[in-house]
Amino acid sequence: MTTAIESILNHVDEKEVVELTRRLIRIKSVYRPNVEGGNEEKVARFLVKYLKDIGLEVYYEEVVPGRPNVIAVYDSGLPGKTLLFEGHTDVVTEGDLDSWTYDPFGGEISNGRIYGRGSCDTKGNLAAAISAVHSLKKSQIPFKGKIILCIPCDEEGMMIGIKEFINNGWAKDVDGAIICEPEENQLCITQKGAMRIVLKTFGKMAHGAMPLTGINPVTRMARLIVELDKLEQTEKERLGEHPYLGWPSITPTILQSPVKGEPQINVVPSQCMASLDIRTVPGQDHSQLRRNMEDIIERLSKEDDLFSASLEVIEDRPWTETPKDHEVVQAVAKAYSELTGKPPIYNGVPGATDGTFLHLAGVPIITTGAGDRYIPHHADEYVDIEELVQTVKLYTFSALYFLK
């Protein structure tokens, strides 16, 4: 092991990442638009002070009122590449408090784990990235280029934070990004795409005893959903099971009728709405998938003169893929092997991350971090301290190898 690596290891502070994770968990940052202070502002302001105190150049940029991004820069002063670490400040709701053994905003430690909402997704990994940059800074090991800490709001929503980060030009000269999400420190080089779609079928209100005097949109929505299930099976047969991402999917998640007004058991409604959560894998073209669905609607309309439906795409996030031989992947792989003495474990992200939009902006990404990938959004969410400390080292070494 080189002197530089030993020096960095001596500056990795286990207590720092543990205490920072706990402090971040204790600042509630569940987005609740109707609750005063129910956003990411408090945690963002805490981070601004923390990052300034460790000597970084810090920027606070409000995306919408009360929902800021925080950006911190550690510049070597020498020309070179730019590496970005990305970790969001928002967390999902805690849900039913009775389902928790631990205080969801307590940051409690038990049996070598930190418990609380965001411990795994992704305040622990955000703390690890900050601690990694701090370790590099304390070691004073020279490197070229700079590191950017991108800490956006709203990853759990429509990802307005990362979109604003990109729109403001921050991603323009980034050569590689590490997306700090719970992946058990596996190297995720691909992630599923997502399409969010709202379907509506239109009918005519009528008495349930005399349905032929109306047009039933519910039965027509049922036909449409059956055809979409067939489309999913066709895509599975065409593409097979992806080695890292598994199967593509077309999943109806909400079914509502009537769309407006109160439902009543003896009334045929005038409209029916269904939402689709579609997850795609490499090899699927989102435009073609949309055309396939529009073709189904057109065919059903020809088969039934009374069939009328609309399709609206409300969010479109493409799948991503970064080659194993890209320098950012190689840097993380080398860091992993240096730390563990084992070859890296490659995988894929089953959901979408802020990295989706960085990828669209031309930034090569890799996703890795501490935490069981099945724990996010669960009650009693936790992160193992030992794994979290390993993540600090992984991020630190990755930055060194990428920039030096």
Side-chain angles (χ1 to χ4, degrees):
M1 189 175 295
T2 67
T3 304
I5 297 299
E6 290 174 344
S7 175
I8 288 176
L9 286 175
N10 290 334
H11 287 92
V12 171
D13 187 345
E14 177 177 330
K15 290 182 180 179
E16 178 185 21
V17 69
V18 170
E19 287 310 307
L20 180 54
T21 299
R22 298 179 75 194
R23 292 175 76 178
L24 292 174
I25 291 168
R26 289 169 184 158
I27 305 173
K28 295 182 182 180
S29 53
V30 179
Y31 178 51
R32 292 188 168 106
N34 299 319
V35 176
E36 186 177 353
N39 52 38
E40 303 93 335
E41 184 173 7
K42 288 182 180 178
V43 72
R45 292 198 179 279
F46 165 79
L47 285 166
V48 166
K49 183 179 185 308
Y50 191 96
L51 293 164
K52 285 182 177 178
D53 286 347
I54 65 174
L56 302 184
E57 183 182 343
V58 183
Y59 300 85
Y60 180 96
E61 297 184 349
E62 198 166 52
V63 181
V64 294
R67 307 196 73 187
N69 288 342
V70 177
I71 301 107
V73 180
Y74 178 30
D75 195 333
S76 70
L78 298 172
K81 292 177 290 189
T82 297
L83 176 66
L84 183 143
F85 287 100
E86 187 276 338
H88 57 91
T89 52
D90 60 319
V91 297
V92 297
T93 174
E94 66 275 25
D96 181 8
L97 287 174
D98 291 337
S99 65
W100 285 77
T101 307
Y102 301 91
D103 179 353
F105 301 106
E108 298 174 58
I109 294 177
S110 178
N111 297 318
R113 294 172 171 173
I114 306 172
Y115 285 87
R117 179 58 82 221
S119 55
C120 180
D121 183 17
T122 198
K123 287 181 174 177
N125 289 306
L126 172 56
I130 293 169
S131 297
V133 174
H134 196 194
S135 299
L136 276 170
K137 197 168 191 308
K138 287 185 294 184
S139 73
Q140 296 187 331
I141 291 174
F143 65 92
K144 294 179 180 180
K146 61 185 174 183
I147 300 171
I148 297 176
L149 285 166
C150 167
I151 308 172
C153 63
D154 194 50
E155 192 268 355
E156 300 290 0
M158 297 299 285
M159 300 186 178
I160 62 172
I162 195 66
K163 292 173 183 176
E164 183 74 2
F165 176 87
I166 294 165
N167 289 339
N168 288 346
W170 283 104
K172 184 179 178 182
D173 297 317
V174 174
D175 298 286
I178 296 174
I179 311 303
C180 306
E181 293 282 351
E183 299 296 346
E184 300 161 46
N185 286 338
Q186 296 177 5
L187 279 60
C188 294
I189 55 175
T190 183
Q191 65 181 332
K192 281 187 175 180
M195 296 176 73
R196 305 280 169 78
I197 288 179
V198 174
L199 299 169
K200 288 182 181 177
T201 49
F202 305 97
K204 179 183 176 184
M205 285 184 70
H207 196 298
M210 296 170 283
L212 294 181
T213 64
I215 301 171
N216 196 330
V218 177
T219 54
R220 287 162 174 85
M221 181 62 79
R223 292 178 209 162
L224 179 53
I225 289 174
V226 167
E227 292 302 313
L228 291 171
D229 184 65
K230 292 178 183 176
L231 176 60
E232 179 189 82
Q233 297 307 315
T234 298
E235 289 295 282
K236 287 180 176 178
E237 291 170 8
R238 180 175 73 86
L239 295 156
E241 185 176 10
H242 191 277
Y244 300 135
L245 299 174
W247 300 99
S249 59
I250 300 174
T251 307
T253 52
I254 300 172
L255 187 63
Q256 181 181 337
S257 189
V259 177
K260 295 180 180 179
E262 294 181 65
Q264 192 164 325
I265 199 167
N266 62 345
V267 176
V268 175
S270 62
Q271 287 188 25
C272 183
M273 183 276 287
S275 65
L276 302 178
D277 185 355
I278 300 175
R279 303 294 171 145
T280 60
V281 300
Q284 285 182 290
D285 182 289
H286 285 201
S287 297
Q288 181 60 53
L289 201 55
R290 175 175 180 161
R291 286 194 293 271
N292 291 343
M293 290 184 280
E294 290 171 340
D295 288 345
I296 289 171
I297 291 173
E298 184 178 354
R299 176 165 53 80
L300 291 174
S301 299
K302 289 179 179 178
E303 294 171 359
D304 174 4
D305 291 340
L306 300 179
F307 185 94
S308 177
S310 67
L311 180 154
E312 180 186 7
V313 179
I314 61 172
E315 183 74 344
D316 191 341
R317 304 172 182 173
W319 47 265
T320 72
E321 196 169 38
T322 306
K324 285 184 182 179
D325 61 359
H326 190 278
E327 55 189 348
V328 72
V329 178
Q330 290 288 300
V332 181
K334 184 177 179 182
Y336 184 95
S337 296
E338 182 79 41
L339 283 167
T340 65
K342 301 175 182 177
I345 301 170
Y346 292 96
N347 211 328
V349 181
T353 70
D354 280 334
T356 301
F357 293 101
L358 289 168
H359 166 81
L360 275 175
V363 177
I365 64 168
I366 181 169
T367 306
T368 191
D372 185 325
R373 58 166 47 199
Y374 297 110
I375 291 300
H377 302 194
H378 284 224
D380 287 337
E381 180 184 344
Y382 68 85
V383 65
D384 284 305
I385 291 173
E386 183 179 355
E387 186 177 64
L388 187 62
V389 173
Q390 190 81 340
T391 302
V392 178
K393 297 174 184 178
L394 180 64
Y395 288 167
T396 307
F397 285 23
S398 297
L400 187 68
Y401 291 140
F402 188 74
L403 298 173
K404 197 173 191 313

